[in-house]
Amino acid sequence: MKVLISDYPDSMMPDHTLEIRTLVEGLGPDTVIDILPYADDARAEFYAHLADADALLTAFIPMDDEAQAAAANLKVISINATGYDNVDLAAATARGIGVCPVGEYCTWDVSESAIAYMCALNKHFKFYQREIDDDHKWDYAAAPQWPRLQDQTLGIVGFGKIGKCTARKAAGLVGRVIATDIAGDDAAFRALGVERVTPEGLFAQADIIVNHMNLTEDNVYYFNEAAFAAMERRPIFINLGRGLCVDEGALVAALDAGQLRAFGADVLYDETPDLASSPLVGRDNVMLTPHSAFYSSSSIEDLERLSCQNIVHYLKGEKDKVFKLVN
């Protein structure tokens, strides 16, 4: 058996010891582990390493039909992330290639980041830090006055595991929590004391909006010019879902027009953004993190172990033990 571990260099694990140990212990000592830093302009090299691989472990490499066609032996793509929009799922299904994202490893961490963003933006931490570090100013009144969280309504878009976890954490901080989701039943909302609303209702009522949606074909640019125009309360907007859920041009225009008080994001269009020319960089009311909302020693260990166990179980024919098989 050969397992290829490959991704953009910035997205690869700094150490592969746990991954290698989990794979070898599960598949046997003769397992070949090939580790390759990936680059879009070296696609041919990636195809050469992929040609005889039985399994691929990656998070962000585009696995379109062409890439899958170059992998005659490929049986499973294990995604060491929760999203799998980088994989042509229809092509994988047609070729008999299993696709296994990690369904659960960082729910606590991402919801913790939602609360951190919410507090930091509402309390102007970035603005005050710039005032202190750059101008040596000590002036609490330099920032605009905004209500305390207790007097605000939090709107959660995407009420899955992470959305529910954020709702539980926020319950003692904000005055009210509302949420919208196309799936789930009303009982799940009521159990957490969360009012279920339409997207239009959420945009109209929320002072803070957090996106926790997975990316699908139906929610690309979900937050667009019309959505921002419908946000009546000039909310703080936080994107912890996927970058393509947000029309970045419309977002910048909404910030410039004052339709949003502030913006925070852990994801942008590109996993390797050109920050030097980004119109979002350098704003006192914008906070960005490098897709790190999941990041903790606990979550990384879970991620490495579960994604490799998915490969082991799939290749051994134990599909019922795969944590999450989406095709």
Side-chain angles (χ1 to χ4, degrees):
M1 292 286 186
K2 174 182 172 179
V3 178
L4 174 61
I5 300 173
S6 186
D7 222 321
Y8 296 95
D10 290 345
S11 299
M12 293 187 79
M13 298 299 173
D15 179 86
H16 299 284
T17 302
L18 178 58
E19 293 170 325
I20 293 170
R21 184 171 70 243
T22 303
L23 291 166
V24 171
E25 287 178 355
L27 297 173
D30 294 332
T31 304
V32 176
I33 311 294
D34 185 8
I35 299 173
L36 176 71
Y38 171 85
D40 287 325
D41 59 1
R43 195 82 164 159
E45 180 185 10
F46 171 64
Y47 287 167
H49 285 256
L50 188 64
D52 60 345
D54 297 280
L56 170 67
L57 176 61
T58 190
F60 300 113
I61 292 178
M63 286 301 295
D64 53 18
D65 186 59
E66 178 185 272
Q68 294 176 36
N73 292 339
L74 194 63
K75 301 172 182 66
V76 60
I77 301 171
S78 181
I79 309 294
N80 54 350
T82 56
Y84 50 93
D85 49 284
N86 58 310
V87 178
D88 185 330
L89 197 60
T93 302
R95 295 178 185 278
I97 300 171
V99 179
C100 310
V102 177
E104 165 63 60
Y105 76 99
C106 63
T107 292
W108 184 275
D109 305 86
V110 176
S111 65
E112 184 177 84
S113 292
I115 301 300
Y117 259 119
M118 186 168 67
C119 294
L121 288 168
N122 197 64
K123 299 300 287 186
H124 310 292
F125 283 176
K126 182 179 180 181
F127 171 80
Y128 285 133
Q129 201 64 56
R130 280 186 186 272
E131 290 268 292
I132 291 168
D133 287 345
D134 297 343
D135 300 327
H136 304 149
K137 290 179 63 177
W138 190 262
D139 181 7
Y140 73 86
Q145 290 182 0
W146 291 349
R148 61 171 67 109
L149 293 177
Q150 185 183 33
D151 297 328
Q152 298 188 56
T153 294
L154 168 64
I156 299 173
V157 182
F159 205 59
K161 292 178 181 177
I162 300 175
K164 292 182 178 71
C165 194
T166 295
R168 284 192 291 269
K169 286 186 173 70
L173 293 173
V174 299
R176 176 179 173 226
V177 181
I178 59 178
T180 187
D181 199 310
I182 59 172
D185 56 35
D186 292 343
F189 291 76
R190 288 194 301 268
L192 293 174
V194 174
E195 180 184 349
R196 187 174 197 171
V197 297
T198 64
E200 293 78 13
L202 186 141
F203 293 158
Q205 300 174 59
D207 300 287
I208 303 163
I209 296 174
V210 177
N211 175 39
H212 281 313
M213 291 188 298
N214 290 325
L215 182 67
T216 69
E217 292 181 356
D218 297 324
N219 62 21
V220 173
Y221 291 175
Y222 183 94
F223 298 95
N224 54 23
E225 182 179 359
F228 293 128
M231 295 178 183
E232 297 181 10
R233 299 185 62 81
R234 295 182 58 248
I236 293 172
F237 175 47
I238 300 165
N239 184 22
L240 296 177
R242 287 292 190 182
L244 283 173
C245 288
V246 179
D247 181 335
E248 287 186 8
L251 168 69
V252 171
L255 285 165
D256 289 343
Q259 292 174 310
L260 301 175
R261 281 187 289 151
F263 173 64
D266 190 50
V267 285
L268 298 173
Y269 281 174
D270 195 337
E271 279 299 321
T272 55
D274 179 8
L275 297 176
S277 61
S278 172
L280 293 171
V281 172
R283 296 173 182 249
D284 286 335
N285 64 340
V286 172
M287 294 184 68
L288 304 174
T289 48
H291 208 154
S292 59
F294 74 97
Y295 191 55
S296 70
S297 58
S298 306
S299 66
I300 290 297
E301 181 176 337
D302 288 346
L303 177 62
E304 292 185 83
R305 176 174 47 79
L306 290 169
S307 60
C308 289
Q309 285 177 342
N310 278 343
I311 290 174
V312 170
H313 291 315
Y314 193 94
L315 292 181
K316 292 174 72 172
E318 301 168 341
K319 293 184 182 180
D320 58 315
K321 295 182 180 179
V322 172
F323 192 87
K324 187 176 181 180
L325 181 61
V326 295
N327 66 336

